[in-house]
Amino acid sequence: MSERFDGRAPDELRTISITPNFTDMPAASVLVRFGRTTVMCTASIDKSVPRWMDKPGNTRGWVTGEYSMLPGATDPRFRREVHRGGLSGRTQEIQRLIGRSLRAVTDLEKLGPRTIYLDCDVLQADGGTRTASITGAYVALALACEKLLAEALIDEVPLNDSVAAISCGIVEGRALLDLPYVEDSAADVDMNVVMTGSGRLIEVQGTGEEATFSRAELNALLDLAEKGIGELTAMQNDVLPERLHFK
Amino acid sequence: MSERFDGRAPDELRTISITPNFTDMPAASVLVRFGRTTVMCTASIDKSVPRWMDKPGNTRGWVTGEYSMLPGATDPRFRREVHRGGLSGRTQEIQRLIGRSLRAVTDLEKLGPRTIYLDCDVLQADGGTRTASITGAYVALALACEKLLAEALIDEVPLNDSVAAISCGIVEGRALLDLPYVEDSAADVDMNVVMTGSGRLIEVQGTGEEATFSRAELNALLDLAEKGIGELTAMQNDVLPERLHFK
Amino acid sequence: MSERFDGRAPDELRTISITPNFTDMPAASVLVRFGRTTVMCTASIDKSVPRWMDKPGNTRGWVTGEYSMLPGATDPRFRREVHRGGLSGRTQEIQRLIGRSLRAVTDLEKLGPRTIYLDCDVLQADGGTRTASITGAYVALALACEKLLAEALIDEVPLNDSVAAISCGIVEGRALLDLPYVEDSAADVDMNVVMTGSGRLIEVQGTGEEATFSRAELNALLDLAEKGIGELTAMQNDVLPERLHFK
Amino acid sequence: MSERFDGRAPDELRTISITPNFTDMPAASVLVRFGRTTVMCTASIDKSVPRWMDKPGNTRGWVTGEYSMLPGATDPRFRREVHRGGLSGRTQEIQRLIGRSLRAVTDLEKLGPRTIYLDCDVLQADGGTRTASITGAYVALALACEKLLAEALIDEVPLNDSVAAISCGIVEGRALLDLPYVEDSAADVDMNVVMTGSGRLIEVQGTGEEATFSRAELNALLDLAEKGIGELTAMQNDVLPERLHFK
Amino acid sequence: MSERFDGRAPDELRTISITPNFTDMPAASVLVRFGRTTVMCTASIDKSVPRWMDKPGNTRGWVTGEYSMLPGATDPRFRREVHRGGLSGRTQEIQRLIGRSLRAVTDLEKLGPRTIYLDCDVLQADGGTRTASITGAYVALALACEKLLAEALIDEVPLNDSVAAISCGIVEGRALLDLPYVEDSAADVDMNVVMTGSGRLIEVQGTGEEATFSRAELNALLDLAEKGIGELTAMQNDVLPERLHFK
Amino acid sequence: MSERFDGRAPDELRTISITPNFTDMPAASVLVRFGRTTVMCTASIDKSVPRWMDKPGNTRGWVTGEYSMLPGATDPRFRREVHRGGLSGRTQEIQRLIGRSLRAVTDLEKLGPRTIYLDCDVLQADGGTRTASITGAYVALALACEKLLAEALIDEVPLNDSVAAISCGIVEGRALLDLPYVEDSAADVDMNVVMTGSGRLIEVQGTGEEATFSRAELNALLDLAEKGIGELTAMQNDVLPERLHFK
């Protein structure tokens, strides 16, 4: 059986790095790399909550995500969305996914009446930008929570579990983990999986790209994702203080 | 075990109706009802293809979907997106899903250099509008193909299979099929499944709504969806001419 | 003298139908047909009033209209206005006309501090969509008032009269009533008339289309419109409860 | 019977002035005043035609109008439409009316394949801005045609007649001509009439403002308008060269 | 040494006129001409302040500018910015400059909690529109302050100095004052200078247009500007009441 | 005399770093830091030229800049401009400045018919983002030219000189070089200067912030800027190959 173009085994992640404190102004700033894919994830804390939440007596907070590709992230250059008259459907879909994934492990009551924005700005894109974003944004969220604890603005960790995400897909009949652009664009089936550190599913998005797939193929992809997310969870814990580890 | 609020069994569809020729100007017009959810699906044939396809020598066509909620579709009234400065992320996500689902069964080469627009306008919304849209849009697409055949503009059916879609979810711990709004808004896990008439998956979107789920729960939901889509496929065939039936 | 292309007399309306309760979620829902022209008119009641009215001590309500063509309403397909960066001048002109026409017979004081939205969504367009919209929207407005009365939210009918509208025009030298698209596009003079059930004018819009007209021609068209509106008023009353009939 | 607030008779125009050559860069520039209402009407000639006209073999031209209120035109200040996200319905309605009115007297074939833009910018607004705009824009159009003739770019006057416009209305039961803001805002019926110099109607727009009107009232208003337009036509001719006079 | 195309000396202004009370509705209205360049500058007083200022206890006011080119201001016609989807960078840059320049001489505390809008609408453009706008807008601002004083809404002149502005540039190696379009478009270096009547700088913007310049050239241009602004200050004072003169 | 808050001398730059090859997909990628201010400058080469240049026979190229602040660049978070309906005036002003500054040293003829985009994305903002952007963008531009030379797409260096930029200002009466946010926000006069490596001016923008300044103060600021730009030029040359050094 032929090797992948970069020599990886079918169930092998690219080289991953997670660098906290990349910049120092926001509440937290993480630079995450999945191979050449590079995303800056910052967490900013705002003292207000969205208007629809902001009712007398509200004690809950909110967590939301934004996602953007920088123009130099790809070759050819990616035209800024501000010049196209608004966010594309793809960007909005990814933003909604980031926010939903992080909220699935956040105790909004313990967070208290504030909003944490997770901004995922893609400095370089080579496939898997949404899963790198979620994986890095979780670390930024956890570090921002750590900061709130350190400043005694909250007194309990407002998270129930960790979150990580990975892509997988079926390329030329083989189920592969963590697709770079060259594999992603050749995939018949494309799947993104978001899971907690404890192995529960948060989101499964499997899409046939002008193709269809069977239940058995779906299961093979989920097995790959589960393995990859386990490894990402360990790497996230490596850069986080112990009181933010979940089992 | 308690019944569902409307007396249905957990694996039972709402009352479904699929009415072809609801209006007579577009190439095809289908009114589909899933319970109170009512969608007008029209197919319009355009002689051009999208700009990115329109290169010398191109012989392929395109199929695309649009989705919109009418303001009277819900109570309270739904504010038109044209007044909000553009399509919401949700609308764009649904439009992309409709187009992708229909293209998965279309032979764009056999369709020839033309575009079929499937417009899904929701006249009344009570949950499951995207799955009703896909189910109705497939019928409109098939009827538009029938029209192209009848007018000898193409000489082969440009479809490989049929498509239908259904929602399911976990509500108060039970896996349920075809959720109306009242169940949908109480669901911990929400899933939309698009399948072909021959039982292959096109799209699986499972989402924990501030909740997580296990592989076993995922499988239970997929079983429900498979059953429902089998029934929808039969109803689609009932209103389509035999040469558009696939096994 | 030659017949009209569909065999009608110059002063004859197309086949008209007015179907109440077409859907069941909004306060009122009416499907109106003028020949092939098909409009869904829904009335939605909102507990607030527009910002400019919303001053301490305000006791008056508001009635407003919106109008939209569905993409499948015409062949070739009608491109959605949300994709063109906003409402066209034509759409805004029609919306303003619908609102103005209905307010001319509404007692906003008796309606009380609430807004009734009349949404006129054109499912199929074959000329006369604005006049069909006004004629159907009046029925939806009256049924919404009936609902407010039935729920004892108001204690008097907040309407002074009924409203209906019809188009007419000069085509190849002849004054004709209720123009379908084929006649409308050939007309030298195009007129829309809105009148009350008691025969008072609300709006007269006569336009020479790269042509001019005399006072005598204007009068001939007004005579036709008066006859047509009389007939439409009777059909409106047929579907409305007696306490909503005006003489 | 009481006088009008400014001492005019019911059928009397305000002081009108029409000043050609107000600026010298565009093809024609006219400053028109109806009382305090002040509009700069410029005509600009463009060598192209709109895209929908621009087909091989096209020999016809186009005439179109634009209308805008300057922020200092009213007190309180009028907020620019560019800051509101687009043209209001009212502005678009007026623009369409200006273009339609001028095209009704233009021979687009004789004009040849070019576009004349008539820009009507309201420097000060005190009622009747749309009718002052049409009256001034006609003069600018005629002077631009004169310029084309003088430069031998065309060899025949491409106009069939002149155009002028006036407002009238029913205020406290009296039919009045040429309403300034204070009368306009108190009117029960508001009418704008566009006529040719030879007395043919181009446009009649009569609107009950939360009121209705009879056929007899409509006729009284049309009589007033006819008188006023006769006087405006004479004033237009005073500033135009003889070969641009029509009888 | 060759003369300038219009016979002026290098340090000579074009014919300047400043006409107050050009219209009578806004608080002040000034028509300013620098040669053919013609700008209507109106001042409108609003009782509110911008949202970011509007805090309990605020006693300060605001002065802001808007700038717009009318379509007939140039030949060929200038397309309205409302049709291009928003203000150009150039327009915004000029608006910010106008506001900043006027605020540099305004005592916002003495002005009190109100906003003065200075609208600079360019009726004809032949170079130097931004400097003519600032020069005229200052006169409109001063007259609006005079009006506030006359109405006893304020009791002290809220201005510290006057403001005027002029362009200069290096054209074919010569430093020239007050460039019309033909010189401006040939300039290698383009400079706009805003100064007070007492000779202090407010803004210096010197730009090499695909060219560079030396410190000595910069100084030669500043000398020209100083001379021109001295002359403009005198002309401003000629149309302003004595209590608005500063030394 | 008191020290600056960070201990620097009045004419001392912050710690500067210029890191080439920060990412590897675009033609060039430079990370530049002026103290905490951090900007990623990428150069992307496009084979086309802007539409207004793209005429038969064109042999020239184009250089343009874009500028954007990432939301995590500041605390509090900076709201993305795509959500505000377009680019702010400030952003457009900076973009125009970047493009103009780089074109002043580029030989567009030697560059040939292609566009180089310089994207300056601010990862962290602490004053001086526009001057850091220009300084870094020049390095990215030079490296992109080097790449074109290396690939033999051009055969001569298409640059005439280098470019760098620095801010300076008057704070509490002292002229200071390279202002961080805390000094910038307290400055009475704010100046940005763009110069070539050989000491010629490209742009001088001096602004009184609700203050005015004298010719002597202007000169003191220009002296500071000249010194700072000399030092930046040396640092740029350190990371560029010799054939891209100018004297």
Side-chain angles (χ1 to χ4, degrees):
Chain A
M1 192 171 179
S2 69
E3 268 193 346
R4 292 168 80 171
F5 83 104
D6 54 6
R8 279 188 289 147
D11 66 350
E12 192 179 342
L13 294 173
R14 289 181 280 182
T15 305
I16 309 285
S17 75
I18 302 176
T19 309
N21 307 321
F22 179 64
T23 55
D24 63 359
M25 281 190 172
S29 167
V30 173
L31 192 78
V32 62
R33 293 190 192 253
F34 279 33
R36 294 167 87 193
T37 290
T38 308
V39 186
M40 176 164 115
C41 304
T42 56
S44 301
I45 301 171
D46 192 282
K47 282 172 194 163
S48 67
V49 291
R51 209 174 300 179
W52 58 264
M53 267 192 132
D54 194 12
K55 290 175 191 147
N58 173 58
T59 54
R60 306 181 75 211
W62 191 244
V63 170
T64 189
E66 294 197 2
Y67 169 94
S68 178
M69 293 267 282
L70 265 55
T74 56
D75 181 26
R77 179 176 182 269
F78 180 82
R79 198 165 156 242
R80 291 177 199 268
E81 296 190 308
V82 72
H83 296 154
R84 310 184 194 197
L87 298 181
S88 68
R90 180 184 171 274
T91 293
Q92 293 190 58
E93 211 170 308
I94 294 174
Q95 296 195 154
R96 286 152 52 93
L97 175 61
I98 296 170
R100 216 158 55 213
S101 298
L102 297 174
R103 285 193 300 275
V105 298
T106 307
D107 185 323
L108 300 174
E109 192 66 45
K110 289 186 187 161
L111 176 58
R114 53 181 58 85
T115 298
I116 302 186
Y117 287 91
L118 280 309
D119 286 290
C120 301
D121 286 273
V122 180
L123 306 189
Q124 186 154 279
D126 185 30
T129 60
R130 84 185 67 189
T131 50
S133 292
I134 292 169
T135 304
Y138 170 73
V139 176
L141 171 62
L143 290 173
C145 290
E146 174 65 20
K147 197 178 174 212
L148 287 169
L149 283 167
E151 295 175 355
L153 290 165
I154 56 177
D155 48 24
E156 255 183 299
V157 175
L159 303 171
N160 302 317
D161 207 336
S162 66
V163 184
I166 198 68
S167 73
C168 46
I170 298 181
V171 185
E172 292 171 15
R174 284 198 302 171
L176 302 178
L177 183 66
D178 191 13
L179 311 185
Y181 176 75
V182 69
E183 289 178 347
D184 188 57
S185 58
D188 288 316
V189 181
D190 184 26
M191 180 167 295
N192 288 293
V193 179
V194 186
M195 289 181 84
T196 65
S198 65
R200 302 269 301 171
L201 293 162
I202 293 176
E203 187 99 18
V204 174
Q205 295 187 335
T207 300
E209 302 285 353
E210 309 193 9
T212 59
F213 54 107
S214 65
R215 291 280 293 269
E217 288 169 316
L218 176 69
N219 279 318
L221 291 171
L222 287 167
D223 290 344
L224 280 181
E226 222 169 308
K227 171 176 181 294
I229 287 173
E231 295 170 24
L232 291 171
T233 302
M235 287 184 253
Q236 290 174 320
N237 282 338
D238 284 351
V239 299
L240 289 173
E242 194 123 354
R243 67 168 151 176
L244 289 165
H245 293 189
F246 303 91
K247 306 148 259 264
Chain B
M1 193 173 179
S2 70
E3 268 193 346
R4 291 170 80 172
F5 84 103
D6 53 7
R8 279 188 288 148
D11 66 350
E12 192 179 343
L13 294 173
R14 289 180 281 180
T15 305
I16 309 285
S17 74
I18 302 175
T19 310
N21 308 320
F22 179 65
T23 55
D24 63 359
M25 281 190 173
S29 167
V30 173
L31 192 78
V32 62
R33 293 188 192 254
F34 279 32
R36 294 166 86 192
T37 291
T38 308
V39 186
M40 176 163 117
C41 303
T42 58
S44 301
I45 301 171
D46 191 282
K47 281 171 196 165
S48 66
V49 290
R51 209 175 300 179
W52 59 265
M53 267 192 132
D54 194 12
K55 291 175 191 148
N58 172 60
T59 55
R60 307 181 74 212
W62 191 245
V63 170
T64 190
E66 294 196 5
Y67 170 94
S68 179
M69 294 266 282
L70 265 55
T74 55
D75 181 26
R77 180 176 181 267
F78 180 82
R79 198 167 156 241
R80 291 177 199 267
E81 295 189 308
V82 73
H83 295 152
R84 309 183 193 199
L87 297 182
S88 68
R90 179 184 172 274
T91 293
Q92 292 190 57
E93 211 170 308
I94 294 174
Q95 295 195 154
R96 285 152 52 93
L97 175 62
I98 296 170
R100 216 158 55 214
S101 298
L102 297 175
R103 285 193 300 275
V105 298
T106 307
D107 185 323
L108 298 174
E109 192 65 46
K110 289 186 186 161
L111 176 59
R114 53 180 59 86
T115 298
I116 303 187
Y117 286 91
L118 281 307
D119 286 290
C120 302
D121 286 273
V122 180
L123 305 190
Q124 187 154 277
D126 185 31
T129 61
R130 85 184 67 188
T131 50
S133 292
I134 292 168
T135 304
Y138 169 72
V139 176
L141 171 62
L143 290 173
C145 291
E146 174 65 21
K147 198 179 172 211
L148 287 169
L149 283 167
E151 294 174 355
L153 290 165
I154 56 177
D155 47 24
E156 257 183 297
V157 175
L159 303 171
N160 303 317
D161 206 337
S162 66
V163 183
I166 198 68
S167 73
C168 46
I170 299 181
V171 185
E172 292 172 13
R174 286 199 300 171
L176 302 179
L177 183 66
D178 191 14
L179 311 185
Y181 177 75
V182 68
E183 289 177 348
D184 188 57
S185 57
D188 287 316
V189 182
D190 184 25
M191 180 168 294
N192 288 293
V193 180
V194 185
M195 290 180 85
T196 64
S198 65
R200 302 270 300 171
L201 292 161
I202 293 176
E203 187 100 16
V204 174
Q205 295 186 335
T207 299
E209 302 285 352
E210 308 194 8
T212 59
F213 54 107
S214 66
R215 291 279 295 268
E217 286 168 318
L218 176 68
N219 280 317
L221 291 172
L222 287 166
D223 290 344
L224 281 181
E226 223 170 307
K227 172 177 182 291
I229 287 173
E231 294 170 24
L232 291 170
T233 302
M235 287 184 254
Q236 289 174 321
N237 282 338
D238 283 352
V239 299
L240 288 172
E242 194 123 356
R243 67 168 152 175
L244 290 165
H245 293 191
F246 304 90
K247 314 147 253 261
Chain C
M1 193 172 179
S2 69
E3 268 193 346
R4 292 168 80 170
F5 83 104
D6 54 6
R8 279 188 289 147
D11 66 350
E12 193 179 342
L13 294 173
R14 290 180 279 181
T15 305
I16 309 286
S17 74
I18 301 175
T19 310
N21 308 320
F22 178 64
T23 55
D24 63 0
M25 281 190 171
S29 167
V30 173
L31 193 78
V32 62
R33 294 190 192 253
F34 278 34
R36 294 167 86 192
T37 290
T38 309
V39 186
M40 177 164 115
C41 303
T42 56
S44 301
I45 302 171
D46 191 282
K47 282 171 195 164
S48 66
V49 290
R51 207 174 302 179
W52 58 265
M53 267 193 133
D54 194 10
K55 290 176 191 147
N58 173 58
T59 54
R60 307 182 74 211
W62 191 243
V63 171
T64 190
E66 294 196 3
Y67 170 94
S68 179
M69 293 266 282
L70 265 55
T74 55
D75 181 26
R77 181 175 181 268
F78 180 81
R79 198 167 155 241
R80 291 176 199 268
E81 295 190 309
V82 73
H83 295 154
R84 309 185 195 197
L87 298 181
S88 68
R90 178 183 173 275
T91 293
Q92 292 191 57
E93 211 170 308
I94 294 174
Q95 297 195 152
R96 286 151 53 91
L97 175 61
I98 296 170
R100 218 158 53 213
S101 297
L102 296 175
R103 285 193 300 276
V105 298
T106 306
D107 185 323
L108 299 174
E109 192 65 46
K110 288 185 187 160
L111 177 57
R114 54 180 59 86
T115 299
I116 303 187
Y117 286 92
L118 281 308
D119 286 290
C120 301
D121 286 274
V122 179
L123 306 190
Q124 187 155 278
D126 185 31
T129 61
R130 84 185 68 188
T131 49
S133 292
I134 292 168
T135 304
Y138 170 72
V139 176
L141 171 62
L143 290 173
C145 290
E146 175 64 22
K147 198 180 172 210
L148 287 170
L149 283 168
E151 295 175 355
L153 290 165
I154 56 177
D155 48 24
E156 256 183 300
V157 175
L159 303 171
N160 303 317
D161 206 336
S162 66
V163 184
I166 198 69
S167 73
C168 46
I170 298 181
V171 185
E172 292 172 16
R174 285 198 300 172
L176 301 179
L177 184 66
D178 190 14
L179 311 185
Y181 177 75
V182 68
E183 289 177 347
D184 188 56
S185 58
D188 288 315
V189 182
D190 184 26
M191 181 167 294
N192 289 292
V193 180
V194 186
M195 289 181 85
T196 65
S198 65
R200 303 269 301 170
L201 293 162
I202 293 176
E203 187 99 17
V204 174
Q205 294 187 334
T207 300
E209 302 285 353
E210 308 194 9
T212 59
F213 54 107
S214 66
R215 291 280 293 268
E217 287 168 318
L218 176 68
N219 280 317
L221 291 171
L222 288 166
D223 290 343
L224 281 181
E226 223 170 307
K227 173 178 179 291
I229 286 173
E231 294 170 23
L232 291 170
T233 301
M235 287 185 253
Q236 290 174 321
N237 282 337
D238 284 352
V239 300
L240 288 173
E242 194 122 354
R243 66 169 152 175
L244 290 164
H245 293 190
F246 303 91
K247 295 152 263 269
Chain D
M1 194 173 181
S2 69
E3 268 193 346
R4 292 169 80 171
F5 83 104
D6 54 5
R8 280 189 287 149
D11 67 349
E12 192 180 342
L13 294 172
R14 289 180 281 181
T15 305
I16 309 286
S17 75
I18 302 175
T19 309
N21 307 320
F22 179 64
T23 55
D24 63 359
M25 281 190 173
S29 166
V30 173
L31 192 79
V32 63
R33 294 191 192 251
F34 278 33
R36 294 167 86 192
T37 290
T38 307
V39 185
M40 177 164 114
C41 303
T42 56
S44 301
I45 301 171
D46 191 283
K47 282 170 194 164
S48 67
V49 290
R51 209 173 301 180
W52 59 266
M53 267 192 132
D54 195 11
K55 291 173 191 150
N58 173 59
T59 55
R60 306 180 77 211
W62 191 245
V63 171
T64 189
E66 294 196 4
Y67 170 95
S68 178
M69 294 266 282
L70 266 55
T74 55
D75 181 27
R77 181 177 181 266
F78 180 82
R79 201 168 152 238
R80 291 177 200 267
E81 295 190 308
V82 72
H83 295 153
R84 308 184 195 197
L87 298 181
S88 68
R90 179 183 172 276
T91 293
Q92 292 191 57
E93 209 170 309
I94 294 174
Q95 296 195 153
R96 286 152 52 92
L97 175 62
I98 295 170
R100 217 157 54 212
S101 297
L102 296 175
R103 285 193 300 275
V105 298
T106 306
D107 185 323
L108 299 173
E109 193 65 47
K110 290 186 187 160
L111 177 58
R114 52 180 60 86
T115 299
I116 303 186
Y117 287 91
L118 281 308
D119 287 289
C120 300
D121 286 271
V122 180
L123 306 190
Q124 187 155 278
D126 185 31
T129 60
R130 85 184 67 188
T131 51
S133 293
I134 292 169
T135 304
Y138 169 73
V139 176
L141 170 63
L143 290 173
C145 290
E146 175 64 22
K147 198 180 172 209
L148 287 169
L149 283 168
E151 294 175 355
L153 290 166
I154 57 177
D155 48 24
E156 255 183 299
V157 176
L159 303 171
N160 303 316
D161 207 337
S162 66
V163 184
I166 198 68
S167 73
C168 45
I170 298 181
V171 185
E172 293 172 14
R174 285 197 303 171
L176 302 178
L177 184 66
D178 190 13
L179 311 185
Y181 177 75
V182 67
E183 289 177 347
D184 188 57
S185 58
D188 288 314
V189 182
D190 184 25
M191 180 167 294
N192 288 293
V193 180
V194 185
M195 289 182 84
T196 65
S198 65
R200 302 269 301 171
L201 292 161
I202 293 175
E203 187 100 16
V204 174
Q205 296 187 333
T207 301
E209 302 286 353
E210 309 193 9
T212 59
F213 54 106
S214 66
R215 290 281 293 268
E217 287 168 318
L218 176 68
N219 280 316
L221 291 171
L222 287 166
D223 290 343
L224 280 181
E226 222 170 308
K227 173 178 180 294
I229 286 173
E231 294 171 23
L232 291 170
T233 300
M235 286 183 255
Q236 289 174 322
N237 282 337
D238 283 351
V239 299
L240 288 173
E242 195 124 354
R243 65 168 152 177
L244 290 165
H245 294 190
F246 303 92
K247 309 152 252 263
Chain E
M1 192 173 179
S2 70
E3 269 193 347
R4 292 168 80 171
F5 84 103
D6 55 5
R8 279 189 289 149
D11 66 350
E12 192 179 343
L13 295 172
R14 289 180 280 182
T15 306
I16 309 286
S17 75
I18 302 175
T19 309
N21 308 319
F22 179 64
T23 56
D24 63 359
M25 280 190 173
S29 166
V30 172
L31 192 79
V32 62
R33 294 191 192 250
F34 278 34
R36 294 167 87 193
T37 290
T38 308
V39 186
M40 177 164 115
C41 304
T42 56
S44 301
I45 302 171
D46 191 283
K47 283 172 194 164
S48 66
V49 291
R51 209 174 300 178
W52 57 266
M53 268 192 131
D54 195 11
K55 290 173 192 149
N58 174 59
T59 54
R60 306 181 77 211
W62 192 244
V63 170
T64 189
E66 295 196 2
Y67 170 94
S68 179
M69 294 267 282
L70 265 56
T74 55
D75 180 26
R77 181 177 182 268
F78 181 81
R79 200 168 154 239
R80 291 176 199 268
E81 295 190 308
V82 72
H83 295 153
R84 309 184 195 197
L87 298 181
S88 69
R90 179 183 172 275
T91 293
Q92 293 191 57
E93 210 170 309
I94 295 174
Q95 296 196 152
R96 285 152 53 93
L97 175 62
I98 296 170
R100 216 157 55 213
S101 298
L102 297 175
R103 285 193 300 275
V105 297
T106 306
D107 185 323
L108 298 174
E109 192 65 46
K110 289 186 187 161
L111 177 58
R114 52 180 61 85
T115 298
I116 303 187
Y117 287 91
L118 280 308
D119 286 289
C120 300
D121 286 273
V122 179
L123 306 190
Q124 187 155 279
D126 185 31
T129 60
R130 85 185 68 187
T131 51
S133 292
I134 291 168
T135 304
Y138 169 73
V139 176
L141 170 62
L143 290 173
C145 290
E146 175 66 21
K147 197 179 174 212
L148 287 170
L149 283 167
E151 295 175 355
L153 290 164
I154 56 176
D155 47 24
E156 257 184 297
V157 175
L159 303 170
N160 303 317
D161 208 336
S162 66
V163 184
I166 198 69
S167 73
C168 46
I170 299 181
V171 185
E172 292 172 16
R174 285 198 301 171
L176 302 179
L177 183 67
D178 190 13
L179 312 185
Y181 176 75
V182 68
E183 290 177 347
D184 188 56
S185 58
D188 288 314
V189 182
D190 185 26
M191 180 167 296
N192 288 292
V193 180
V194 186
M195 289 182 84
T196 65
S198 65
R200 302 268 302 170
L201 292 161
I202 292 176
E203 188 100 16
V204 173
Q205 295 187 334
T207 300
E209 302 284 354
E210 309 194 8
T212 58
F213 54 106
S214 66
R215 290 281 293 268
E217 287 168 318
L218 176 68
N219 280 317
L221 291 171
L222 287 166
D223 290 343
L224 280 180
E226 222 169 308
K227 174 179 179 293
I229 286 174
E231 295 171 23
L232 290 170
T233 301
M235 286 183 255
Q236 289 174 321
N237 281 337
D238 284 351
V239 300
L240 288 173
E242 194 123 354
R243 66 167 151 176
L244 289 165
H245 294 191
F246 303 92
K247 311 152 248 267
Chain F
M1 192 174 181
S2 69
E3 269 193 346
R4 292 170 80 172
F5 84 104
D6 54 6
R8 279 188 289 147
D11 66 350
E12 193 180 343
L13 294 172
R14 289 180 281 181
T15 305
I16 309 285
S17 74
I18 302 175
T19 309
N21 308 321
F22 179 65
T23 56
D24 63 359
M25 281 190 172
S29 166
V30 173
L31 192 78
V32 62
R33 294 190 192 252
F34 279 33
R36 295 167 86 192
T37 290
T38 308
V39 185
M40 177 164 116
C41 304
T42 57
S44 301
I45 302 171
D46 191 283
K47 282 171 195 165
S48 66
V49 291
R51 209 174 301 179
W52 59 265
M53 267 192 132
D54 194 11
K55 290 175 191 147
N58 173 58
T59 55
R60 307 181 76 211
W62 191 243
V63 171
T64 190
E66 294 196 3
Y67 170 94
S68 179
M69 294 266 282
L70 266 55
T74 55
D75 180 27
R77 181 177 181 267
F78 181 82
R79 200 168 154 239
R80 292 177 198 268
E81 295 190 308
V82 72
H83 295 153
R84 309 184 194 198
L87 298 180
S88 69
R90 178 183 174 275
T91 292
Q92 292 191 56
E93 211 170 307
I94 294 174
Q95 297 195 153
R96 285 151 54 92
L97 175 62
I98 296 170
R100 217 158 54 213
S101 297
L102 297 174
R103 285 193 300 275
V105 298
T106 306
D107 185 323
L108 299 174
E109 192 65 46
K110 290 186 187 160
L111 176 58
R114 53 180 60 85
T115 299
I116 303 187
Y117 286 91
L118 280 309
D119 286 290
C120 301
D121 286 273
V122 180
L123 305 190
Q124 187 154 279
D126 185 30
T129 60
R130 85 185 67 187
T131 51
S133 292
I134 291 168
T135 304
Y138 170 72
V139 177
L141 171 62
L143 290 173
C145 290
E146 175 64 23
K147 197 180 173 209
L148 287 169
L149 283 167
E151 295 175 355
L153 290 165
I154 57 177
D155 48 24
E156 256 183 298
V157 176
L159 303 171
N160 302 317
D161 207 337
S162 66
V163 184
I166 197 69
S167 74
C168 47
I170 298 181
V171 184
E172 292 172 14
R174 284 198 302 172
L176 302 178
L177 183 67
D178 190 14
L179 312 185
Y181 177 75
V182 68
E183 289 177 347
D184 188 58
S185 59
D188 287 316
V189 181
D190 184 26
M191 180 167 295
N192 289 292
V193 179
V194 186
M195 289 182 84
T196 65
S198 65
R200 303 268 301 169
L201 293 162
I202 293 176
E203 187 100 17
V204 174
Q205 295 187 334
T207 300
E209 302 286 350
E210 308 194 8
T212 59
F213 55 107
S214 66
R215 289 280 294 268
E217 288 169 317
L218 176 68
N219 280 317
L221 291 171
L222 287 166
D223 290 343
L224 281 181
E226 223 169 306
K227 173 178 179 292
I229 286 173
E231 295 171 22
L232 291 171
T233 301
M235 287 184 254
Q236 290 174 321
N237 281 338
D238 284 351
V239 299
L240 288 173
E242 194 123 354
R243 67 169 151 176
L244 290 164
H245 294 191
F246 303 91
K247 7 191 176 234

